[in-house]
Amino acid sequence: MKKVLIIEDENKISRFLQLELEHEGYAPETAEEGRKGYTMAQAGKYDIIILDLMLPNLSGIEICRRLRAEGINTPIIMLTAKDDVSDKVTGLDVGANDYMTKPFAIEELLARMRVALKNSDKVASSPVVKAGRLTLDRDKYEVRFDDTLITLTKKEFELLSYLMINKNIVLSREQIVESVWGYEYEAETNVTDVYIRYLRSKIDEVYGTNYIRTVRGVGYQFRDEE
Ligand code: CA
């Protein structure tokens, strides 16, 4: 069952969406204000997020911008109250997948949700990730620079995979540790620094590239331009 997070402060709309989505076989959860919605979305356990633009405490735009900056790629459909082009453009600029103007027909929202979910399934299930001149095959556990095979340990591979999937996004040490090593390692974020060093010595130092960047005070970023 697909989990949907509805972040919407208008009780009537939120309740309506919840009932309709349950009826369609989704598992919806709701947040009635921005900060709570953001915290729930950060957990990353939702398949899709329906996000209202105007919210108390934290706006839809800000939630979307923050989630994307943190490497959370859950599809987001934004709801805008007014038919304002600049809101739509801003929503898409900060990484929303789609938007709908209120009032909307539920059938149209359901159709757009299906499209967004299908696209995200495609990304998640594709075993091959390409960035720069690197190709990583998650089925075969293989990484190549052009055609040359690079030998990595399992953790090095998983770290590189996480960085490449989230290429051009700045990732904090905490995020990296949580995704690659799991929650129990959270206190030891310097494990990231050690493994980043291993990856650089096997990739950037060998091929003269500069893919793995340090972002001072934050963490790391995979940049696919050389
Ligand atoms: Ca609102």
Side-chain angles (χ1 to χ4, degrees):
M1 209 188 270
K2 298 280 187 194
K3 287 190 280 296
V4 186
L5 175 60
I6 304 163
I7 310 177
E8 165 66 85
D9 60 319
E10 276 169 80
N11 218 316
K12 248 168 67 184
I13 296 179
S14 178
R15 185 81 194 123
F16 167 71
L17 284 175
Q18 197 180 357
L19 290 173
E20 289 289 338
L21 292 178
E22 274 168 5
H23 182 71
E24 290 292 320
Y26 291 98
E29 287 178 31
T30 57
E32 65 291 336
E33 53 94 11
R35 221 172 282 282
K36 183 183 170 201
Y38 170 60
T39 310
M40 287 170 79
Q42 265 185 317
K45 61 170 186 154
Y46 299 98
D47 296 293
I48 189 163
I49 298 168
I50 298 172
L51 179 61
D52 185 33
L53 189 88
M54 303 287 279
L55 290 165
N57 300 329
L58 200 60
S59 77
I61 295 282
E62 189 55 27
I63 293 172
C64 190
R65 200 188 58 74
R66 289 190 190 183
L67 291 174
R68 295 305 188 234
E70 289 166 16
I72 294 164
N73 293 318
T74 314
I76 294 175
I77 297 180
M78 221 169 233
L79 303 179
T80 66
K82 39 194 170 171
D83 194 4
D84 183 336
V85 177
S86 71
D87 282 343
K88 293 172 188 169
V89 172
T90 311
L92 297 177
D93 275 350
V94 293
N97 301 63
D98 207 346
Y99 61 83
M100 297 212 60
T101 306
K102 291 191 234 177
F104 53 84
I106 187 70
E107 291 76 18
E108 195 183 348
L109 178 66
L110 291 168
R112 289 184 189 217
M113 282 175 65
R114 281 193 294 272
V115 171
L117 284 165
K118 211 161 102 194
N119 288 342
S120 84
D121 281 350
K122 236 184 283 168
V123 173
S125 64
S126 167
V128 177
V129 186
K130 287 184 186 204
R133 291 165 72 180
L134 291 175
T135 307
L136 183 138
D137 188 322
R138 289 186 287 167
D139 276 353
K140 295 185 195 153
Y141 256 83
E142 268 180 16
V143 185
R144 287 174 191 275
F145 184 89
D146 292 340
D147 289 327
T148 313
L149 197 63
I150 301 170
T151 309
L152 298 180
T153 64
K154 190 166 178 288
K155 276 295 167 218
E156 289 166 355
F157 183 91
E158 284 167 7
L159 173 58
L160 181 63
S161 169
Y162 182 65
L163 292 171
M164 283 173 67
I165 289 167
N166 294 291
K167 68 179 175 185
N168 301 320
I169 294 172
V170 177
L171 302 164
S172 72
R173 287 181 175 77
E174 289 76 17
Q175 273 177 319
I176 295 171
V177 168
E178 212 174 282
S179 303
V180 179
W181 280 270
Y183 287 92
E184 66 271 28
Y185 272 88
E186 232 172 332
E188 302 169 51
T189 50
N190 62 351
V191 70
T192 318
D193 304 331
V194 174
Y195 275 81
I196 289 283
R197 228 166 20 240
Y198 294 157
L199 281 183
R200 281 181 174 146
S201 75
K202 289 183 175 183
I203 299 167
D204 283 339
E205 286 169 24
V206 176
Y207 298 99
T209 50
N210 190 17
Y211 291 137
I212 301 164
R213 310 274 178 99
T214 303
V215 181
R216 227 165 269 288
V218 185
Y220 297 98
Q221 178 188 33
F222 187 100
R223 290 279 294 273
D224 59 358
E225 64 210 57
E226 282 164 46

